[in-house]
Amino acid sequence: MWLKPEEVLLKNALKLWVQERSNQYFVLQRRRGYGEEGGGGLAGLLVGTLDAVLDSTSKVAPFRILHQTPDSQVYWSIACGSSREEITEHWEWLEHNVMKTLSVFDSNEDITSFVQGKIRGLIAEEGKYSFVREDDPEKFREGLMKFEKCFGLPEQEKLITYYSCSYWKGRVPCQGWLYLSTNFLSFYSFLLGAEVKLIISWDEISKLEKTSNVILTESIHVCSRGEDHYFSMFLHISETFLLMEQLANYAVRRLFDKETFENDPVLHDPLQITKRGLESYAHSKHFSAFFRLPKEESLKEVHECFLWVPFSHYNTHGKMCISENYICFASQDGSLCSVIIPLREVTGVDKGDPANRGVSISTKGKTAFRFTEVRDFELLVAKLRMKCNAAASPQHILTTEVAAGSATDNPKDFGAGQSKMGQRDNSKTVSTEALMTVYHPQDAENLDSKMLKEKMKEQSWNILFAERGHGVSMFRTKKTRDLVVRGIPEALRGELWLLFSGAVNDMASNPGYYTELVEKSLGTCTLATDEIERDLRRSLPEHPAFQSDTGISALRRVLTAYAFRNPQIGYCQAMNILTSVLLLYAKEEEAFWLLVAVCERMLPDYFNRRIIGALVDQAVFEELIRVHLPQLTDHMTDMTFFSSVSLSWFLTLFISVLPIECAVNVVDCFFYDGIKAILQLGLAVLEYNMEKLLTCKDDAEAVTVLNRFFDSVTNKDSPLPPAVQQGSNLSDTKSDHPKVDITDLIRESNERYGDIRYEDVESLRCRNRLYVIQTLEATTKQNVLRVVSQEVKFSPSDLEELYDLFKKEHFLSCYWSVNSPVLQHHDASLPYLEQYRVDCQQFRLLCHLLSPWSHCANRDSLALWTFRLMDESSNCLINFKQFACVLDTMYNGSFTDKLKFLFKLHIPPAFTEVESLSPSKGDDLSKEELMHFSQLSVSSVGDNLESGSLKSSPEKGKGKVDIQAYLKQWQDELLKKEENVKDLPRMNQSQFIQFSKTLYNLFHGDPEEELLYRAIAVVTSLLLKMEEVGRRLQSPMSPVRSPVAVTEVAAEVPRERQEESSSEQTEGSRAQSLEGNHEWSFAFEQILASLLNEPAFVRFFEKPHDIKAKIESAKNLQLKARTRV
């Protein structure tokens, strides 16, 4: 590797380097101790230790080239290499391309200047096509070289960054280097002859956290496969930990959680990830989540500044964040002030007072936002003006369309709209009014005490709007939160939900989208629509809005449209309950966008097949219980109780457990504060019932306590009529429990647990996501092993190791491929056995590592035929059960089992003629050839009979599920287990010849090799004689072939071992000798009976093989095998 020229004082360097070559201008040196017997003694050990600690590959590479000028003590390092071949290549290039030119120059300074310029030019040329885009390319190149030299990972493995740190082995720290790459966490240390090398793949990490104890002030704890690893003494531990967390979560999402990963194009290509890219991606995600912006928004600029707060008459300090379509501000001085300004609302951007470096932004709501102390404020004003001009015309049209649409949204037009569209199908008519205003219109004349309180609430909000603005660009302060905690008035609830959730931005950016979606989706028939129809009548059945066709039709349209928009989620239980509440207070289109905001932004991964998001938040909830309610944690022996009882709280935002008039107050807080509001309320509920929970003897008693508490929660200020209020119906029956007002409960949760920060929740989510997904993976593993263990004779520990190797091979194919076909096949919704499958190429690698017959010359052909035999569904994939059964036959099968297995490999559908396109490779097949042969279809006896059943085989996810087809498939599988050897088809002559060759290949290298060769010749001769006798008895007039000739043909096969070069002649002579004769074939019973007469055969196939040794070898070689490929 060429290096940026640096001065080296040769006088000091001679102690560590040995000169190997030199000329007038260059010196090639070797590191002392490298390549010497015994490591160069004590000097070599000390040099090796120094190399591991120092921060420069030019100091630790075993070879280097220096440029020298005559009569000077100063030398320049210009190249280094990890191998003699690499450094020799550089040396020869210098001799051929540079040496002759240097004689032209007169002065030493000109020579040095020329050499330095030439080397810098070479580095620049290399960097032109390099994927390295880091702050310090030269230093990074050195680190990359050391990373490649130490770990030998494939070239595609992308190094992100590296850090100096200590790794703790017991109580002893090892100083070395931690390397973070796309798929691995790696550590290397070399101290006084002791080498420590650690490679952990991110997908194996179940715990990643910052810890501290007496010995380690601050360290990073990594748990992988049950082993704990500690790293400490970082210069910037927070930065390191954040990057490790991002890489671990990236790998987990990419490999385990394909649904959410595919929706995120930013990190789709693992080869393009950089440290800077990851940091900017994390900032963008945090920015869009904090301000509830569309996921497509990415953070472009951040400016520290002050914002003038007109109603409080002071400047609040904070950060201005700018994305493609929004200008946002969040205070950092504890005033909880934030502002969101969509560029579509901006009418002007002006410079303020130059002394204050001010920027003034005017909006359509006639509000001016004044920012001061903005660095580079003039440049910022110019940028914002360009952004606003670019967005002005389309956004203006968009806004007027929305305004025009909303102008007709009043009660008078509701009936007219219904009558005009009466000729169309009513199910496609989109409601333009919230259901609550239709079924419970407020009576302005008869105001009782509750309605008076409601009007006072409205007045408080109107005052707030007058002071702080109304709409998207309003100031959001502590006063706003206080009003939300008191409960949003019924008349403003839908509007403010839309505002606080950010759904108003989605709706403004997509006019007409929902109506179009409804027209496309209604009438479709999928599994999701079936589930929706089943649950429609279960959604708030006691509410009159959902006892009529109006409410039910609106609910059907919203849920079906969302399932059509996002088929990966489709429909999940609990979505119906949430949507029905949204429809009560929001217009139908608004309810749809609120549902989008909840499912895709505010509660990510909650409503997918495995509800990972809900499980993650439950794990966060458990951690918060340990911190804030330790006495409850000490009492409960099993923390999973809290997970089971709180799942419905998170999935339905307490709607399923609280009366509707109370639950809407919780939803108010959720749309303002996000998941933080649900976590706080959950803690408050447990604390309120603490004394009773501590006296509970079992989980059932604790559940009863909580259910009674929820039944006693009321909303004394709710203006809803008694017929709708669920709490009022229970007031008499549950009078023994004291009433709890929901407003008081929410206020208490804010006061006690309001210090839980959004950033802390996100950090806990990140940490627990690893744990939750690894727990789900462990469940998958246990279920697969339980099923497979009944089919094989391997011990549980060996079977578990085999599963890990199988799964690892699946992932190794995903690590370095942008669009890995294997990754596309991983679907967590499939049955456990089908979640991880391998193709023919991966199966071949596993066979090379684990098969007891991997020494066989035609091992690629054997792997191919075995794969074709196992691939019963013809989808070119096999699962772990099929893989384990094959190995079980090889290791634990009887003589008959192994022979039957080899027999089946040499008849259709497994057998196919295999010839490598490259004769020089012998029997080895390239990846392309292997995949081609694995996909060939070969007709076999009974294929025609089975084709009908295969066609009727049920397909997952397509139309209705055919139960009868599944039952027939299950019955066929049971019949296969009872397969009789008499059912096997006969083996023809070409298949038998290949079968004989395979046996000879298997016997090669065995201690009884000669004996086995003679035995196979005898058996082959005997079988052919038997076949001739049988044919003569059936037709006495047919010409009889001389048994001697037949024996000669058979005897030619073993000579292939001694004379491989004459293999083509052997094939030719065999073909000539068989020409003109009738086809002959053998039954399995004939071959079995003949081989049983040869003790050498029986001994060979009944010889035990050590699977444990193979597994240990495979674990060490699996990654290296992938590197070679």
Side-chain angles (χ1 to χ4, degrees):
M1 181 174 79
W2 299 109
L3 299 175
K4 182 180 176 183
E6 286 184 0
E7 283 191 21
V8 174
L9 210 57
L10 201 61
K11 186 168 65 175
N12 296 331
L14 282 172
K15 298 173 185 176
L16 302 175
W17 295 90
V18 179
Q19 186 168 303
E20 292 217 330
R21 288 194 197 181
S22 67
N23 57 39
Q24 189 179 358
Y25 299 107
F26 299 103
V27 177
L28 191 157
Q29 295 180 332
R30 174 176 52 81
R31 192 72 163 163
R32 189 177 295 278
Y34 183 84
E36 298 177 16
E37 290 187 15
L42 181 59
L45 286 178
L46 291 172
V47 171
T49 301
L50 193 64
D51 290 345
V53 175
L54 289 179
D55 177 19
S56 175
T57 303
S58 59
K59 298 185 181 75
V60 297
F63 298 96
R64 71 176 181 180
I65 297 175
L66 304 179
H67 163 60
Q68 64 176 350
T69 51
D71 306 323
S72 174
Q73 284 296 312
V74 178
Y75 284 59
W76 298 83
S77 64
I78 59 171
C80 67
S82 58
S83 66
R84 193 178 296 276
E85 293 75 17
E86 182 185 359
I87 205 69
T88 303
E89 185 182 336
H90 284 8
W91 179 266
E92 290 174 352
W93 188 90
L94 289 169
E95 286 187 328
H96 292 127
N97 297 281
V98 180
M99 282 291 293
K100 295 175 183 176
T101 312
L102 296 183
S103 59
V104 176
F105 296 101
D106 297 329
S107 68
N108 291 340
E109 290 77 9
D110 291 343
I111 292 172
T112 301
S113 179
F114 175 79
V115 171
Q116 289 180 354
K118 191 70 179 173
I119 299 303
R120 287 195 179 98
L122 291 171
I123 292 171
E125 189 66 26
E126 282 180 356
K128 191 187 296 183
Y129 307 104
S130 171
F131 54 77
V132 176
R133 303 187 197 93
E134 300 298 330
D135 297 330
D136 189 350
E138 184 62 33
K139 187 176 178 183
F140 191 83
R141 285 174 79 249
E142 295 175 358
L144 177 61
M145 183 181 172
K146 185 175 177 184
F147 171 70
E148 291 173 347
K149 173 192 162 208
C150 292
F151 302 104
L153 295 170
E155 290 180 6
Q156 304 98 310
E157 182 61 17
K158 175 79 166 59
L159 177 64
I160 306 299
T161 189
Y162 60 100
Y163 299 97
S164 171
C165 71
S166 291
Y167 171 63
W168 291 78
K169 292 192 73 177
R171 293 181 175 273
V172 180
C174 303
Q175 181 63 30
W177 292 90
L178 180 72
Y179 296 87
L180 307 181
S181 58
T182 313
N183 300 295
F184 299 98
L185 178 157
S186 313
F187 177 83
Y188 183 81
S189 171
F190 183 87
L191 293 172
L192 299 177
E195 185 182 55
V196 178
K197 190 184 292 187
L198 185 70
I199 301 178
I200 302 172
S201 54
W202 294 114
D203 56 84
E204 293 176 349
I205 293 177
S206 57
K207 184 181 281 187
L208 183 63
E209 60 184 355
K210 277 198 291 187
T211 59
S212 59
N213 55 39
V214 179
I215 301 173
L216 305 176
T217 52
E218 209 171 12
S219 63
I220 295 175
H221 172 213
V222 177
C223 182
S224 169
R225 294 195 175 206
E227 293 184 20
D228 293 310
H229 308 276
Y230 292 90
F231 302 90
S232 68
M233 300 185 193
F234 290 94
L235 192 60
H236 304 290
I237 191 166
S238 296
E239 175 197 307
T240 309
F241 177 74
L242 183 63
L243 196 59
M244 289 170 72
E245 198 173 54
Q246 286 176 306
L247 284 167
N249 274 284
Y250 163 76
V252 160
R253 286 178 59 210
R254 180 168 180 250
L255 299 173
F256 295 116
D257 196 10
K258 187 164 65 84
E259 293 175 16
T260 56
F261 184 82
E262 287 178 344
N263 294 333
D264 203 342
V266 181
L267 298 178
H268 193 60
D269 186 354
L271 302 181
Q272 300 302 320
I273 294 177
T274 61
K275 178 185 171 186
R276 190 184 303 166
L278 281 170
E279 288 171 352
S280 62
Y281 174 75
H283 291 151
S284 291
K285 276 199 72 175
H286 178 80
F287 161 73
S288 58
F290 183 83
F291 291 106
R292 311 278 164 73
L293 301 179
K295 286 196 296 185
E296 298 77 29
E297 293 297 312
S298 58
L299 185 62
K300 299 297 182 185
E301 295 180 53
V302 179
H303 299 272
E304 279 207 37
C305 60
F306 288 88
L307 172 64
W308 173 249
V309 184
F311 48 86
S312 299
H313 304 289
Y314 79 101
N315 280 308
T316 179
H317 176 254
K319 288 184 177 178
M320 180 201 296
C321 305
I322 301 171
S323 67
E324 292 92 343
N325 300 299
Y326 296 88
I327 304 167
C328 304
F329 176 87
S331 65
Q332 293 182 298
D333 56 6
S335 62
L336 302 177
C337 176
S338 64
V339 170
I340 301 168
I341 310 171
L343 291 182
R344 64 176 183 269
E345 297 285 329
V346 175
T347 56
V349 181
D350 301 299
K351 295 178 191 174
D353 184 359
N356 295 329
R357 293 182 293 177
V359 177
S360 178
I361 299 174
S362 306
T363 62
K364 292 175 183 174
K366 296 181 181 178
T367 307
F369 297 92
R370 285 166 46 196
F371 299 92
T372 54
E373 301 301 327
V374 183
R375 185 183 294 176
D376 300 327
F377 73 103
E378 292 179 341
L379 181 61
L380 178 62
V381 167
K383 285 181 182 177
L384 290 178
R385 280 176 178 169
M386 285 180 64
K387 276 180 175 285
C388 293
N389 291 335
S393 52
Q395 291 288 358
H396 178 68
I397 295 166
L398 180 147
T399 309
T400 53
E401 283 181 15
V402 173
S406 60
T408 60
D409 294 346
N410 58 63
K412 292 180 182 177
D413 293 333
F414 180 71
Q418 289 272 21
S419 61
K420 284 178 185 176
M421 301 191 71
Q423 296 172 352
R424 292 179 63 187
D425 181 9
N426 183 51
S427 64
K428 290 188 179 180
T429 307
V430 175
S431 299
T432 56
E433 204 65 45
L435 294 176
M436 194 63 81
T437 59
V438 177
Y439 286 90
H440 306 296
Q442 292 186 5
D443 189 353
E445 296 178 0
N446 301 321
L447 296 178
D448 56 14
S449 60
K450 290 184 177 180
M451 284 306 298
L452 283 171
K453 283 188 178 179
E454 188 74 4
K455 290 296 176 185
M456 288 171 65
K457 278 189 190 176
E458 285 184 35
Q459 188 61 30
S460 300
W461 278 95
N462 288 331
I463 294 169
L464 185 85
F465 294 149
E467 282 184 356
R468 291 159 169 76
H470 193 173
V472 187
S473 303
M474 68 183 290
F475 281 88
R476 304 172 198 211
T477 61
K478 189 175 182 300
K479 180 67 182 292
T480 317
R481 173 180 274 114
D482 292 341
L483 287 179
V484 170
V485 167
R486 286 172 53 191
I488 297 174
E490 301 276 313
L492 297 174
R493 188 162 267 141
E495 176 193 343
L496 291 177
W497 281 0
L498 209 65
L499 195 67
F500 296 145
S501 66
V504 65
N505 296 315
D506 293 322
M507 192 167 133
S509 304
N510 298 279
Y513 175 82
Y514 174 67
T515 308
E516 185 182 337
L517 211 57
V518 168
E519 291 178 359
K520 287 180 181 176
S521 62
L522 280 177
T524 57
C525 184
T526 62
L527 192 60
T529 56
D530 289 349
E531 292 175 351
I532 289 168
E533 288 298 325
R534 187 185 64 212
D535 287 347
L536 284 175
R537 306 278 172 185
R538 304 176 189 172
S539 311
L540 297 186
E542 65 286 339
H543 199 286
F546 298 100
Q547 293 168 359
S548 69
D549 186 56
T550 306
I552 293 293
S553 295
L555 183 60
R556 178 188 293 112
R557 286 191 293 271
V558 173
L559 291 174
T560 307
Y562 185 78
F564 190 82
R565 165 191 165 88
N566 192 343
Q568 288 178 331
I569 290 179
Y571 170 76
C572 177
Q573 281 190 332
M575 285 171 70
N576 60 320
I577 297 172
L578 178 61
T579 308
S580 56
V581 172
L582 298 178
L583 282 166
L584 289 178
Y585 294 98
K587 300 166 190 173
E588 189 175 316
E589 184 178 4
E590 294 172 347
F592 169 79
W593 287 113
L594 281 168
L595 184 64
V596 169
V598 171
C599 294
E600 297 176 15
R601 283 203 310 273
M602 299 186 73
L603 297 179
D605 306 342
Y606 260 60
F607 300 101
N608 58 18
R609 295 181 180 96
R610 296 194 290 176
I611 58 169
I612 288 175
L615 296 176
V616 169
D617 282 345
Q618 283 183 297
V620 171
F621 187 50
E622 284 182 19
E623 275 204 50
L624 292 173
I625 293 171
R626 290 190 190 96
V627 173
H628 295 280
L629 304 172
Q631 61 272 48
L632 195 58
T633 309
D634 296 339
H635 175 73
M636 300 299 292
T637 54
D638 187 6
M639 287 294 285
T640 55
F641 162 75
F642 297 112
S643 298
S644 58
V645 79
S646 66
L647 182 60
S648 62
W649 304 357
F650 289 94
L651 282 173
T652 66
L653 308 178
F654 283 92
I655 296 170
S656 62
V657 292
L658 285 173
I660 183 66
E661 66 274 11
C662 303
V664 289
N665 285 36
V666 178
V667 179
D668 294 342
C669 297
F670 168 74
F671 279 128
Y672 191 83
D673 273 331
I675 194 62
K676 176 175 172 285
I678 305 300
L679 293 167
Q680 288 176 182
L681 185 60
L683 290 171
V685 167
L686 293 178
E687 187 185 17
Y688 194 93
N689 294 277
M690 177 82 74
E691 292 182 8
K692 292 182 179 179
L693 288 172
L694 290 175
T695 60
C696 291
K697 297 173 183 175
D698 54 32
D699 291 354
E701 197 176 338
V703 169
T704 305
V705 167
L706 291 173
N707 286 340
R708 284 182 179 170
F709 169 76
F710 287 128
D711 290 340
S712 71
V713 177
T714 62
N715 186 350
K716 63 178 186 291
D717 296 332
S718 175
L720 292 179
V724 176
Q725 291 192 34
Q726 298 171 351
S728 61
N729 300 332
L730 300 166
S731 57
D732 299 330
T733 57
K734 302 291 180 184
S735 56
D736 58 321
H737 202 289
K739 298 297 176 189
V740 181
D741 188 68
I742 186 65
T743 309
D744 296 336
L745 189 63
I746 291 174
R747 186 183 294 113
E748 191 174 332
S749 74
N750 265 277
E751 289 172 358
R752 288 184 176 273
Y753 307 109
D755 59 340
I756 298 172
R757 299 184 312 139
Y758 167 79
E759 293 83 358
D760 298 334
V761 172
E762 286 304 307
S763 177
L764 288 170
R765 273 178 161 179
C766 259
R767 186 196 311 167
N768 283 285
R769 187 180 189 83
L770 295 174
Y771 168 75
V772 166
I773 288 187
Q774 293 295 357
T775 303
L776 290 172
E777 286 299 306
T779 305
T780 300
K781 179 178 178 177
Q782 289 166 6
N783 283 291
V784 169
L785 294 180
R786 189 179 65 248
V787 171
V788 177
S789 62
Q790 299 170 8
E791 307 282 335
V792 298
K793 298 174 185 174
F794 291 124
S795 68
S797 60
D798 289 343
L799 195 61
E800 186 175 351
E801 297 275 18
L802 287 172
Y803 178 86
D804 290 337
L805 286 166
F806 183 86
K807 180 178 166 184
K808 188 70 177 176
E809 191 59 45
H810 170 96
F811 281 160
L812 284 171
S813 294
C814 308
Y815 281 168
W816 303 291
S817 177
V818 179
N819 295 311
S820 168
V822 180
L823 190 59
Q824 290 168 5
H825 292 301
H826 176 226
D827 187 348
S829 66
L830 291 173
Y832 290 123
L833 274 172
E834 303 300 316
Q835 287 188 20
Y836 292 109
R837 293 173 291 179
V838 296
D839 61 19
C840 194
Q841 163 67 5
Q842 297 164 291
F843 180 76
R844 170 173 68 170
L845 290 169
L846 286 170
C847 282
H848 289 183
L849 292 169
L850 293 166
S851 170
W853 303 336
S854 57
H855 64 279
C856 188
N858 64 334
R859 60 180 186 171
D860 281 359
S861 301
L862 278 179
L864 168 66
W865 298 330
T866 306
F867 183 85
R868 288 169 61 86
L869 181 66
M870 292 293 102
D871 183 22
E872 295 171 353
S873 57
S874 301
N875 61 356
C876 299
L877 295 167
I878 66 170
N879 60 35
F880 177 68
K881 180 182 174 183
Q882 294 165 321
F883 171 73
C885 288
V886 165
L887 282 183
D888 187 59
T889 303
M890 293 179 181
Y891 280 95
N892 303 318
S894 64
F895 174 78
T896 306
D897 293 333
K898 292 176 182 177
L899 199 63
K900 184 169 72 172
F901 173 66
L902 283 170
F903 183 88
K904 289 167 79 171
L905 292 187
H906 292 82
I907 57 174
F911 181 77
T912 181
E913 293 287 348
V914 177
E915 287 185 13
S916 175
L917 300 177
S918 307
S920 61
K921 290 184 179 178
D923 291 318
D924 292 343
L925 298 173
S926 69
K927 181 179 177 181
E928 291 72 21
E929 291 166 352
L930 194 74
M931 300 306 286
H932 167 71
F933 288 127
S934 69
Q935 293 166 11
L936 288 177
S937 58
V938 178
S939 60
S940 63
V941 180
D943 269 4
N944 295 330
L945 297 173
E946 291 178 8
S947 60
S949 64
L950 284 173
K951 285 176 185 174
S952 63
S953 173
E955 293 186 38
K956 298 181 182 71
K958 294 187 179 178
K960 302 274 185 178
V961 177
D962 190 348
I963 303 298
Q964 293 297 325
Y966 271 115
L967 288 172
K968 187 176 186 309
Q969 195 174 1
W970 181 53
Q971 187 178 11
D972 291 343
E973 286 176 4
L974 289 176
L975 289 172
K976 282 178 188 174
K977 290 182 181 178
E978 300 169 7
E979 180 186 62
N980 196 318
V981 292
K982 293 182 179 179
D983 299 329
L984 293 172
R986 295 174 71 87
M987 182 181 281
N988 67 29
Q989 59 190 31
S990 64
Q991 293 161 3
F992 179 73
I993 292 168
Q994 184 58 58
F995 176 73
S996 302
K997 287 179 69 176
T998 298
L999 289 177
Y1000 285 119
N1001 287 329
L1002 284 176
F1003 300 153
H1004 181 59
D1006 191 86
E1008 296 186 326
E1009 182 177 2
E1010 290 300 324
L1011 190 60
L1012 287 163
Y1013 283 168
R1014 283 198 295 272
I1016 193 65
V1018 170
V1019 169
T1020 307
S1021 175
L1022 177 63
L1023 284 168
L1024 290 169
K1025 287 177 183 177
M1026 287 168 57
E1027 178 64 19
E1028 290 300 327
V1029 171
R1031 188 177 303 161
R1032 188 190 304 174
L1033 290 172
Q1034 286 180 359
S1035 52
M1037 300 303 294
S1038 62
V1040 179
R1041 184 178 168 200
S1042 169
V1044 177
V1046 174
T1047 308
E1048 287 174 359
V1049 173
E1052 281 186 14
V1053 183
R1055 294 190 199 119
E1056 291 175 18
R1057 281 279 160 222
Q1058 295 148 13
E1059 302 176 20
E1060 291 186 3
S1061 59
S1062 62
S1063 60
E1064 292 182 11
Q1065 296 174 7
T1066 307
E1067 291 288 340
S1069 62
R1070 183 184 296 113
Q1072 289 171 10
S1073 63
L1074 296 176
E1075 210 171 322
N1077 288 284
H1078 297 290
E1079 283 282 333
W1080 42 265
S1081 60
F1082 299 110
F1084 175 70
E1085 300 98 302
Q1086 291 175 288
I1087 296 174
L1088 176 64
S1090 303
L1091 292 177
L1092 279 171
N1093 289 325
E1094 297 293 332
F1097 271 120
V1098 179
R1099 283 196 302 273
F1100 177 83
F1101 282 109
E1102 290 191 343
K1103 184 168 53 179
H1105 296 280
D1106 185 7
I1107 184 70
K1108 291 185 186 296
K1110 274 284 186 182
I1111 289 173
E1112 284 305 313
S1113 171
K1115 283 158 69 175
N1116 295 326
L1117 296 174
Q1118 190 173 29
L1119 195 55
K1120 292 178 183 175
R1122 173 65 58 176
T1123 306
R1124 286 196 296 273
V1125 171

